[in-house]
Amino acid sequence: MATLTLLFSKEEIDTRLDALAKEINAEYAGKELVLVCVLKGAIVFFSELLRRLDFDVEVGFVRVASYGLHGMESSNQVQLLQDIEYGEGELAGKHVLFVEDIVDTGQSMQHLFAHFAKKKPESIKLVGLVDKYGRRQVEIHTDFVGFRMEDAFVVGYGMDYMERYRNLPAVYTLSLD
Ligand code: 5GP
Ligand code: MG
């Protein structure tokens, strides 16, 4: 049986996002930013954050496979399934901010940081809705953090378990028994 327990309410998330957007607006004022959504789990967080930004911003979308498609466990093999339109050396003068739902082992972000470094942006940073700091396997720093959590499997607000629960308006922990 699947049990969902509310972890972060819509109101709590909205309040955190207002604060995060304030930090990001201050950091990137006057700079050229490409806001990169890490598909699919970050879609809701990305769009909620995007509409709180008060400067011109480009958007981009990447997709990686890390978690085996149908599980709750991460695999160490990360594969890039979708890239942005800018190739190697083509991000000169621009800053990149990855928008990720959850930073877990850090493997996906490590792969993306290395791949994007070749595009030669001015900077690469990361905003995560949830930073699961207790699960990190590689050194990845989440520059802007929505919520810190040691460990738990969460769904809702864009995040899935086997493609379900993305439409839930808040973040829930999921336990299967
Ligand atoms: P990492 O490469 O950091 O181990 O894994 C990152 C990806 O695994 C996240 O972007 C997210 O898509 C997925 N993931 C990690 N933890 C969770 C979780 O608790 N719930 C869901 N739905 N996805 C997770
Ligand atoms: Mg993700």
Side-chain angles (χ1 to χ4, degrees):
M1 202 186 67
T3 311
L4 294 175
T5 310
L6 183 66
L7 182 63
F8 307 124
S9 69
K10 175 88 181 69
E11 292 69 31
E12 280 177 88
I13 298 171
D14 281 344
T15 305
R16 273 308 293 144
L17 258 70
D18 288 344
L20 274 182
K22 210 170 162 185
E23 283 182 57
I24 293 168
N25 280 323
E27 172 102 10
Y28 294 102
K31 295 179 180 162
E32 283 185 53
L33 179 66
V34 184
L35 193 70
V36 178
C37 177
V38 184
L39 295 171
K40 303 178 190 174
I43 46 171
V44 177
F45 177 43
F46 177 83
S47 54
E48 289 286 336
L49 191 60
L50 175 65
R51 56 184 173 177
R52 285 172 166 83
L53 300 186
D54 59 12
F55 55 93
D56 282 332
V57 54
E58 281 185 57
V59 298
F61 299 86
V62 293
R63 195 168 159 212
V64 290
S66 64
Y67 259 46
L69 277 182
H70 301 292
M72 288 166 81
E73 274 309 308
S74 196
S75 83
N76 293 349
Q77 294 286 81
V78 180
Q79 200 190 346
L80 187 69
L81 302 179
Q82 182 179 325
D83 199 357
I84 60 169
E85 299 91 326
Y86 295 95
E88 292 196 5
E90 291 181 359
L91 280 178
K94 297 180 194 282
H95 296 259
V96 168
L97 179 60
F98 285 115
V99 182
E100 173 66 302
D101 52 358
I102 300 185
V103 186
D104 186 26
T105 64
Q107 301 279 0
S108 311
M109 287 320 307
Q110 188 182 54
H111 188 91
L112 283 169
F113 268 71
H115 179 70
F116 269 63
K118 292 184 258 171
K119 301 178 192 292
K120 301 273 183 252
E122 296 298 308
S123 72
I124 310 179
K125 288 192 175 182
L126 168 63
V127 53
L129 177 64
V130 177
D131 190 9
K132 272 201 210 177
Y133 60 91
R135 300 245 322 152
R136 207 68 100 250
Q137 291 171 2
V138 293
E139 216 173 287
I140 280 293
H141 174 65
T142 311
D143 301 279
F144 307 94
V145 180
F147 300 95
R148 278 165 53 79
M149 187 175 84
E150 194 173 350
D151 191 13
F153 191 83
V154 299
V155 296
Y157 205 75
M159 295 175 282
D160 76 314
Y161 173 63
M162 292 175 69
E163 293 300 327
R164 282 188 70 190
Y165 309 117
R166 293 193 195 277
N167 54 313
L168 296 177
V171 176
Y172 295 79
T173 57
L174 173 72
S175 58
L176 302 170
D177 31 54

